[in-house]
């Protein structure tokens, strides 16, 4: 038998040995909603209300609604700026502590119907939620429990008002991905003219957060509840500067949930009172405060600071980041804030664009049940966040050596655990093969403690083709889903990308078969087993169009990936005219959005036909955009 035969025989043996079973979860695990939410990474906060006009951070509750008149407010423009920065959604302060509601509510008279804007018919929550829907962004609301306007605040009567507000926001504005209950409470206020101090005692008892959580679960089971005295799904990061403390643990003891300490601690052995409570770090891009202020010029955080002190210390430590970009009195974002946001967004995009470990071969000290197919070391580099390297149950330490395809230079190492199975790792180290020996490269303070959804460790700039991950302490067998090697761009030289034309808003488009290709989400796709295959889209109204773009499937597969097409248009859905046909090049190596221009034409309908696929006999498209004629 030569070596090849021995390997074939061993592989055959391994396959008859059967697949190993996945390990049991360890301790508290996240809900599906928490998992999806943690994968969002970051989104915007927009503080915009009467404080915008009074130059205050907290309104007393007697402010005049007549001040609110943002004549240039354009939700679409704001939301597309966030999208361009790479954010995944936004949360709007529908009611701040001053009690003024910026949607058409029946719960209190102190609302936007009293303002001159749009003759009292305006609804900021509605405009933001529609814009988010049109751009494939998620929408959430901030609803302050503390209400300095309501006469009943501090008494049981207020709860009816407050619950009604929750109900309205969660039933009239589509999917709400997160509801934010600020912790600031009690104290003095207008309270319907009483102008006194009201003390609510323990917030959890007064607001009855247990009931609030039940109500929200009933109305929108997928909504992440922030705050609510630790009864929700996520809580405060512990600073308003946008960082969390490391090591950061998702799993905490329920008794501590209401009064968390930061950094959190993790028990060596899981116990029944554990709860998965994710963290969100919050901060504002402009140093002048959460609301827009006339003196905010020159106070915006630089892209470098946003990367070093905010992003790397929130998302990089495993938490989510909510970054506030306030709208001004016209209802627009401050250009300096936007510039910093887009430059930071571009730097983040560049940081994450290339993973030098992708596809690297691996050797592990232990593989669960010797089942490399399901739990082998190469799961770390397959670009699939769900698959993971895992050891046998009793083995709680271990290492993986990765052999890169070619030497690379990197200075950030990202590691992810398969959090569906709990948070396990308590200590790890990252080494690189440099000058003929292994050197530990993670030199940060508290190097390599927690992992969770992800950690990004800054390491000394290293050039090598061999990297090693060592798990030195874990509550149970480690389940590591990814290891990535990234390079931080030179942020000072990153420029904001030219304002991207995102195409026509797609919120009111319809398509029988192709809904997933026009939903604004690249992680969903239209798929057909056949090729050629078509999708027809009704854009709702006739308009002059001059280009379209196609984004191929984004799930890492080339099977059934369409690379030849025809595009036809129609005014009535019956008579069709071909406006373009051709090939999308280089998709196998670089499956990105490709735009095709054609001669301007009036159309209400378009039909995209996939006429060839790179591999397989089916068709697919992650997203199709249409661009108006200029
Ligand atoms: C704080 C509030 O008091 C601030 O005004 C702001 O809304 C911030 C996000 O949370 O606790």
């Amino acid at each position: 038998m030569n070596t090849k035969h021995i390997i074939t025989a061993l592989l055959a043996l391994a396959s008859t040995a059967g697949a190993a079973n996945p390990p049991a979860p360890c301790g508290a695990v996240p809900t599906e909603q928490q998992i999806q939410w943690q994968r969002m990474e970051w989104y915007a906060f927009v503080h915009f209300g009467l404080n915008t006009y009074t130059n205050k951070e907290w309104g007393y509750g007697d402010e005049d609604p007549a001040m609110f008149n943002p004549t240039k407010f354009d939700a679409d423009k704001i939301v597309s700026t966030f999208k361009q920065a790479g954010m995944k959604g936004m949360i709007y302060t529908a009611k701040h502590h001053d009690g003024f509601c910026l949607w058409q509510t029946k719960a209190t008279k102190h609302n936007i119907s009293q303002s001159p804007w749009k003759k009292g018919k305006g609804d900021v929550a509605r405009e933001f939620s529609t814009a988010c829907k049109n751009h494939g962004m998620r929408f959430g609301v901030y609803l302050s429990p503390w209400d300095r306007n309501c006469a009943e605040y501090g008494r049981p009567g207020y709860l009816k008002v407050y619950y009604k507000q929750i109900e309205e926001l969660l039933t009239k504005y589509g999917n709400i991905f997160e509801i934010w209950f600020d912790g600031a409470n009690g104290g003095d206020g207008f309270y319907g003219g009483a102008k006194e101090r009201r003390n609510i005692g323990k917030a959890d008892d007064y607001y009855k957060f247990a009931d609030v959580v039940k109500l929200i679960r009933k109305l929108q089971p997928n909504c992440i509840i922030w705050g609510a005295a630790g009864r929700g799904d996520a809580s405060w990061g512990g600073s308003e500067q946008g960082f969390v403390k490391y090591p950061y643990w998702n799993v905490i003891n329920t008794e501590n949930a209401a009064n968390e300490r930061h950094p959190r601690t993790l028990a060596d052995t899981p116990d029944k009172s554990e709860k998965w409570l994710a963290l969100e770090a919050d901060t504002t891009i402009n140093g002048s405060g959460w609301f827009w202020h006339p003196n905010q010029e020159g106070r915006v955080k630089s892209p470098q600071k946003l990367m070093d002190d905010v992003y790397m210390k929130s998302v990089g430590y495993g938490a989510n980041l909510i970054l506030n970009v306030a709208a001004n009195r016209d209802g627009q974002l401050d250009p300096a804030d936007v510039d910093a946001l887009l430059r930071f967004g571009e730097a983040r995009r560049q940081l994450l664009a290339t993973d030098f470990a992708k596809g690297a071969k691996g050797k592990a000290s232990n593989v669960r049940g010797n089942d490399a197919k399901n739990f082998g070391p190469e799961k770390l580099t397959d670009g699939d966040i769900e698959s993971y390297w895992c050891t046998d149950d009793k083995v709680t330490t271990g290492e993986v050596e990765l052999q890169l395809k070619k030497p690379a230079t990197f200075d950030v190492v990202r590691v992810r655990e398969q959090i569906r199975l709990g948070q396990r790792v308590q200590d790890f180290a990252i080494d690189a093969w440099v000058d003929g020996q292994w050197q530990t490269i993670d030199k940060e303070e508290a190097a390599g403690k927690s992992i969770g959804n992800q950690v990004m460790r800054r390491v000394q700039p290293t050039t090598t083709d061999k990297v090693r991950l060592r798990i030195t302490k874990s509550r149970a067998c480690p389940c590591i889903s990814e290891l990535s090697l990234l390079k931080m761009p030179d942020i000072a030289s990153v420029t904001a990308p030219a304002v991207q034309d995102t195409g026509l808003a797609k919120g009111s488009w319809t398509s029988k078969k192709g809904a997933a290709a026009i939903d604004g989400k690249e992680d969903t796709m239209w798929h057909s087993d056949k090729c050629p295959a078509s999708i027809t889209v009704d854009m709702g109204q006739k308009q002059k169009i001059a280009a379209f773009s196609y984004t191929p499937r984004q799930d890492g597969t080339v099977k059934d990936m369409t690379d030849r097409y025809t595009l036809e248009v129609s005014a009535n859905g019956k008579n069709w005219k071909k406006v373009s046909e051709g090939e999308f090049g280089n998709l196998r190596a670089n499956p990105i959005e490709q735009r095709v221009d054609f001669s301007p034409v009036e159309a209400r309908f378009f039909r995209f036909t996939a006429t060839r696929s790179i591999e397989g006999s089916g068709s697919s498209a992650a997203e199709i955009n249409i661009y108006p004629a200029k």
Side-chain angles (χ1 to χ4, degrees), residues 17 32 47 71 153 163 177 187 232 237 248 292 314 344 357 374 397 401 430 442 447 486 490 511 577 604:
E32 183 62 31
H47 278 65
T71 45
Y153 184 80
Y163 293 177
F177 83 92
Y248 157 52
W292 179 87
S314 53
F344 163 71
N374 287 308
T397 59
E401 230 180 86
I430 303 156
D442 182 348
L486 310 170
D490 171 20
S511 173
K577 178 182 168 199
R604 168 170 167 177

Side-chain angles (χ1 to χ4, degrees), residues 280-329:
E280 186 188 74
D282 61 339
T283 196
T284 177
I285 199 163
N286 195 290
S288 68
W290 290 96
F291 286 86
W292 179 87
H293 295 280
N295 65 337
Q296 72 170 42
E297 210 188 312
R299 306 190 65 178
V300 60
K301 292 187 173 83
S302 68
Q304 187 81 54
K305 187 171 172 64
L306 289 169
M307 180 63 85
D308 295 345
D309 300 342
V310 177
Y311 183 75
M312 290 301 285
K313 293 190 172 148
S314 53
V315 175
Y317 287 168
N320 272 10
L321 168 65
I322 181 164
L323 180 62
N324 187 67
V325 193
N328 64 20
R329 291 175 184 167

Side-chain angles (χ1 to χ4, degrees), residues 133-282:
K133 191 163 164 251
N134 283 340
H135 290 280
M137 298 275 279
R138 296 190 214 175
F139 177 64
V141 288
Y142 167 114
L143 182 71
S144 170
W146 183 23
D147 188 322
R148 300 174 96 184
N149 173 267
C150 185
E152 287 299 302
Y153 184 80
R155 307 181 189 128
Y158 169 66
L159 294 189
K160 246 181 88 185
V161 176
Y162 176 47
Y163 293 177
K164 176 131 182 87
Q165 293 173 343
I166 295 174
E167 198 181 317
E168 286 177 350
L169 290 170
L170 294 189
T171 52
K172 297 189 164 164
Y173 299 91
N175 287 337
I176 300 295
F177 83 92
E178 177 174 345
I179 187 161
W180 226 87
F181 296 128
D182 201 300
N185 275 306
D188 63 343
F190 180 66
Y191 305 127
K195 299 190 180 171
E196 60 189 17
R197 209 177 169 75
R198 300 226 171 133
N199 185 343
I200 58 160
K202 217 169 135 205
D204 192 29
D205 295 338
Y206 175 56
Y207 299 120
K208 300 196 171 42
F209 277 128
D211 292 347
V212 170
V213 168
K214 257 194 235 151
L215 174 69
I216 297 169
R217 300 282 189 239
K218 192 177 89 197
L219 299 173
Q220 291 225 17
N222 292 332
C223 179
I224 290 293
I225 302 172
W226 187 102
R231 292 180 185 275
D233 311 295
S235 66
W236 187 43
S239 82
E240 286 192 3
Q241 276 70 52
F243 65 84
V244 301
K245 289 196 177 149
Y246 187 80
Y248 157 52
W249 305 104
N250 294 278
V251 168
I252 64 168
N253 197 292
T254 33
E255 286 137 41
N256 299 334
N259 296 308
E260 293 182 56
R261 293 191 191 288
H262 301 273
R264 300 159 159 202
T265 52
L266 179 78
D268 279 348
T269 318
D271 73 48
K272 287 209 175 59
S273 61
E274 271 188 19
K275 176 185 162 87
W276 190 278
L277 191 65
L279 280 193
E280 186 188 74
D282 61 339

Side-chain angles (χ1 to χ4, degrees), residues 10 71 145 165 188 278 289 316 362 365 427 438 523 525 586:
L10 282 176
T71 45
Q165 293 173 343
D188 63 343
S365 55
D427 240 311
W438 285 113
D523 56 352
M525 64 172 177
N586 197 28

